Amino acid sequence: MATLLRSVRRLVPGLALAVTLAGGTLAVVEPATGARLVRIPGGVYVPLTRTTKDPAQVTVAAFRLEERPVTNAEFLAFVTANPKWRRSQVSRLFADSSYLDYWAGDLELGPRAPARSPVVRVSWFAARAYARWVGRRLPTTAEWEFAAGAGYTRPDGRNDEQLNRDLYAWLARPVPDVQPAVAVGRPNCYGLRNLHGLVWEWVDDFNNAMVTGESRGDSGLERDLFCGAGSVGAKDTTDYAAFMRVALRSSLKANNTTTALGFRCAQDAAP
Amino acid sequence: MTMKPALFLLLAARLALGAEAPTQLTAAPACPHCQEGAAAVATAGAAFSKESIYQIDARFTDDSGRSFTLGELRGRPVVLDLFFASCGYACPLLVSDMQAIRAKLPAGIRDRAAFVLVSFDVARDTPAALAQYRAQRSLDGQWTLLHGDDQAVRELAALLGVKYREEADGTFSHSNIITILNEQGEIVHQRYGLKGGLDEAAAALAAAVK
């Protein structure tokens, strides 16, 4: 059935499909075309945390990024077409027990999951599978941070006071029980919304952030990444939010899901 | 202090994880030649268990240039490590530790176990480079050396809980984790770090083979 749906969806991209499910429920499968992609010109990303071995700058090639996070409705279309990613069927290897647990059911969003709100409580594996399903991928850390470093009016957002005020106001607010709709916030200068102020987002190479662990260098890395040495080495010690993102990524396992962690997809820029 | 609750909730979620679901077989894949939903072809064998890391569809290439999926290891206990061939410090120790684990296994199990090295260094550790590494380290036919693309390696590393990243000097910082898999490809034990734990790893492997 999943394969059939996918091929029909590919043939008729604008079509919404009505599907009778096993229990006799009628579900409408929206065509999952994904959010609009915005082209982000290449540039230089200055990593926040640096060991002595790290490059001072990372060059980011031009790429395309979805203008907003993936919504509950979009993710519902994905799990409808891919039964192994439904809440009741997913393997614990790929998503922990709180995966999509705020939905009313396997294929029912319910009052805590408005269709236009960002999907959260998804694992890295699930986010990646969705991205592949829509023919896209997750952004890398460098791409995400490069895009998120932009201000409301110019690519370098470091001194954008309004952006910083909004960002820290968000960080100070508790996570709401029901997430507000995506694409409501003010876009940055690329036209991207919600990179700050709605949910945290998975990146493809989240597992390159090493803060705790067992590697030969981990205790050193921990010092370099995080405490005194890390802050001194960091280019911009005022970017507290970026430290928090590193902390979050390094604390995650790929099957973890959490209350305010969603994702958006990316794509290579057309050559 | 304006700490977002996400981190704390995450910790709570982990603590709340509790017992894993019991092992069960996933739905058998439909036979392309039969009606959809028909029982799987018997010759293809049962599907992998829900805890099996062999569920990932990542493809690798071994050091003889042959395409390889991890599911081919099914039926053998496995000692698995991610490494890179030009590593000057931790990786040689890890390979030596894997050899030590092998030496500690009971004879009947020792000959059945598979020893698998998968490289982080997708650019330099080509199948040919891995073949050279095999020769240098005198690794016999029980060893499988695998090259994969970045996506395949990152997915496997994520499954094993291994963190890694390439440094500017071309080396890789990485977690040192030796993983023991049972015959179904389920993780039964992991040895963290570079010191000790070899007896436990060998015992876990022997215990996994009934």
Side-chain angles (χ1 to χ4, degrees):
Chain A
M1 178 60 107
T3 324
L4 177 73
L5 272 179
R6 266 188 96 173
S7 39
V8 172
R9 207 170 45 77
R10 282 206 179 123
L11 289 172
V12 196
L15 185 71
L17 296 171
V19 184
T20 309
L21 298 163
T25 346
L26 193 71
V28 175
V29 182
E30 293 292 336
T33 48
R36 192 172 70 86
L37 287 161
V38 175
R39 189 177 192 279
I40 311 296
V44 169
Y45 156 61
V46 179
L48 173 74
T49 52
R50 303 230 311 272
T51 69
T52 47
K53 289 193 289 179
D54 266 354
Q57 301 182 328
V58 177
T59 305
V60 178
F63 67 106
R64 304 201 290 165
L65 190 62
E66 289 182 349
E67 66 168 337
R68 54 161 177 81
V70 173
T71 63
N72 285 311
E74 287 164 341
F75 206 78
L76 175 63
F78 166 67
V79 299
T80 303
N82 298 276
K84 77 169 185 175
W85 288 105
R86 291 176 195 171
R87 195 171 78 178
S88 65
Q89 293 180 39
V90 73
S91 161
R92 286 283 163 266
L93 272 187
F94 299 118
D96 67 23
S97 58
S98 64
Y99 173 68
L100 297 177
D101 72 353
Y102 67 105
W103 285 16
D106 252 8
L107 297 172
E108 195 185 340
L109 297 181
R112 294 177 61 211
R116 290 283 297 157
S117 294
V119 66
V120 293
R121 291 203 177 282
V122 285
S123 65
W124 178 81
F125 290 113
R128 243 174 163 231
Y130 172 94
R132 242 189 320 239
W133 186 64
V134 296
R136 295 177 183 174
R137 60 174 173 81
L138 295 183
T140 64
T141 304
E143 286 172 341
W144 195 97
E145 290 288 341
F146 179 77
Y152 288 132
T153 54
R154 53 180 184 272
D156 183 351
R158 273 175 295 186
N159 299 315
D160 191 325
E161 287 179 17
Q162 188 56 48
L163 181 87
N164 286 326
R165 264 200 300 275
D166 292 349
L167 170 57
Y168 288 99
W170 169 59
L171 291 173
R173 277 196 303 273
V175 175
D177 188 47
V178 177
Q179 290 282 351
V182 297
V184 171
R186 184 176 171 187
N188 73 8
C189 72
Y190 298 125
L192 298 168
R193 294 173 197 264
N194 312 127
L195 284 162
H196 309 292
L198 195 61
V199 291
W200 307 88
E201 296 182 13
W202 280 108
V203 289
D204 195 54
D205 54 347
F206 82 98
N207 57 350
N208 73 4
M210 280 176 270
V211 174
T212 57
E214 56 299 300
S215 170
R216 56 180 167 147
D218 266 8
S219 57
L221 278 170
E222 189 167 31
R223 191 173 60 240
D224 289 342
L225 272 172
F226 230 56
C227 304
S231 325
V232 172
K235 245 330 185 242
D236 184 356
T237 52
T238 62
D239 198 350
Y240 175 65
F243 277 106
M244 291 185 65
R245 290 193 293 272
V246 172
L248 175 63
R249 284 172 200 142
S250 61
S251 72
L252 289 169
K253 285 182 168 178
N255 70 337
N256 284 151
T257 71
T258 180
T259 167
L261 180 61
F263 70 103
R264 74 180 72 206
C265 306
Q267 205 170 53
D268 294 347
Chain B
M1 182 66 189
T2 58
M3 193 68 169
K4 201 77 178 163
L7 295 175
F8 301 113
L9 288 170
L10 179 75
L11 285 173
R14 270 208 211 160
L15 290 172
L17 251 176
E20 295 282 56
T23 302
Q24 51 182 282
L25 295 181
T26 50
C31 161
H33 306 295
C34 324
Q35 283 189 328
E36 195 170 29
V41 198
T43 50
F48 297 119
S49 81
K50 268 203 154 180
E51 281 73 41
S52 174
I53 71 162
Y54 299 159
Q55 291 173 93
I56 66 168
D57 50 14
R59 298 197 76 82
F60 297 89
T61 308
D62 73 13
D63 65 320
S64 68
R66 195 175 66 87
S67 172
F68 193 95
T69 54
L70 295 177
E72 293 175 41
L73 297 164
R74 176 152 70 173
R76 302 168 71 189
V78 173
V79 183
L80 172 66
D81 178 47
L82 273 66
F83 87 121
F84 64 107
S86 59
C87 175
Y89 174 52
C91 306
L93 293 176
L94 289 167
V95 172
S96 300
D97 284 349
M98 289 169 74
Q99 287 168 322
I101 291 170
R102 179 176 172 173
K104 289 173 188 294
L105 292 172
I109 294 174
R110 189 187 306 145
D111 301 336
R112 289 181 48 213
F115 296 83
V116 181
L117 293 170
V118 183
S119 176
F120 298 113
D121 196 345
V122 300
R124 273 162 300 192
D125 284 348
T126 58
L130 292 174
Q132 209 177 349
Y133 187 81
R134 177 192 287 280
Q136 276 166 11
R137 295 285 309 215
S138 308
L139 303 176
D140 63 21
Q142 261 181 284
W143 291 76
T144 300
L145 278 63
L146 297 178
H147 161 86
D149 65 16
D150 183 64
Q151 294 296 300
V153 174
R154 191 161 293 285
E155 193 159 321
L156 176 61
L159 264 182
L160 301 176
V162 170
K163 301 196 171 216
Y164 69 99
R165 70 167 170 196
E166 186 167 11
E167 305 292 356
D169 62 3
T171 64
F172 289 77
S173 292
H174 57 91
S175 315
N176 295 318
I177 299 179
I178 292 176
T179 300
I180 309 291
L181 303 175
N182 67 14
E183 290 148 303
Q184 285 75 48
E186 299 162 352
I187 297 173
V188 293
H189 183 79
Q190 291 192 304
R191 198 285 297 254
Y192 296 90
L194 290 172
K195 292 193 188 82
L198 299 178
D199 288 332
E200 290 84 346
L205 187 144
V209 180
K210 293 292 182 287

